[in-house]
Amino acid sequence: VAGQGFDNFVKINFQKLIEGIVPVSFGVLSQSDFYTFKGHEKGKADNGVTKFGIRLSNLIFRMFSDELLLEYDSQTKQILSYRGLSNLLSDQGKSQNVFIKYESVKP
């Protein structure tokens, strides 16, 4: 996975994530490096939303980085929200923690 690939990872592995922990290697292109994560279901809400967490596998790295939290529509598998570290840089050139709530546009 690279870039915004977490969304595709979740969509492709939706059922596997519900059933258990799924490993994923994430490439950070700007650093020419890969990090290992584990994705898992964090719960389901009554409103048809499935929550997933994606956390670093390495315990030491996890101490310095929060888990990524994603919410998906259980029926359509469309992403509803993302909370966590982003590739959006601050004025100082540092990665920022963000909360993004997506809107669904119906045709």
Side-chain angles (χ1 to χ4, degrees):
V1 173
Q4 275 64 33
F6 279 127
D7 181 48
N8 288 330
F9 167 76
V10 170
K11 287 179 179 177
I12 291 168
N13 293 286
F14 205 89
Q15 189 60 41
K16 288 181 185 177
L17 289 162
I18 290 171
E19 295 168 359
I21 295 173
V22 180
V24 60
S25 292
F26 182 75
V28 179
L29 303 177
S30 63
Q31 296 178 4
S32 299
D33 207 350
F34 280 88
Y35 297 91
T36 304
F37 289 81
K38 294 179 181 177
H40 62 283
E41 181 190 41
K42 291 195 65 88
K44 291 185 181 180
D46 291 336
N47 60 354
V49 173
T50 302
K51 299 177 182 185
F52 295 106
I54 299 176
R55 66 177 186 263
L56 283 159
S57 297
N58 183 302
L59 179 62
I60 294 170
F61 288 162
R62 257 196 334 252
M63 292 175 13
F64 301 101
S65 180
D66 293 330
E67 180 175 47
L68 304 175
L69 302 172
L70 302 104
E71 292 183 325
Y72 278 79
D73 181 297
S74 300
Q75 295 297 315
T76 64
K77 297 184 176 116
Q78 293 298 306
I79 188 168
L80 301 173
S81 71
Y82 171 93
R83 182 182 303 270
L85 196 59
S86 75
N87 59 357
L88 301 172
L89 301 180
S90 69
D91 292 339
Q92 294 76 31
K94 306 264 185 197
S95 295
Q96 299 182 77
N97 280 309
V98 299
F99 174 67
I100 301 170
K101 186 167 177 121
Y102 296 89
E103 292 185 9
S104 175
V105 179
K106 296 182 181 182

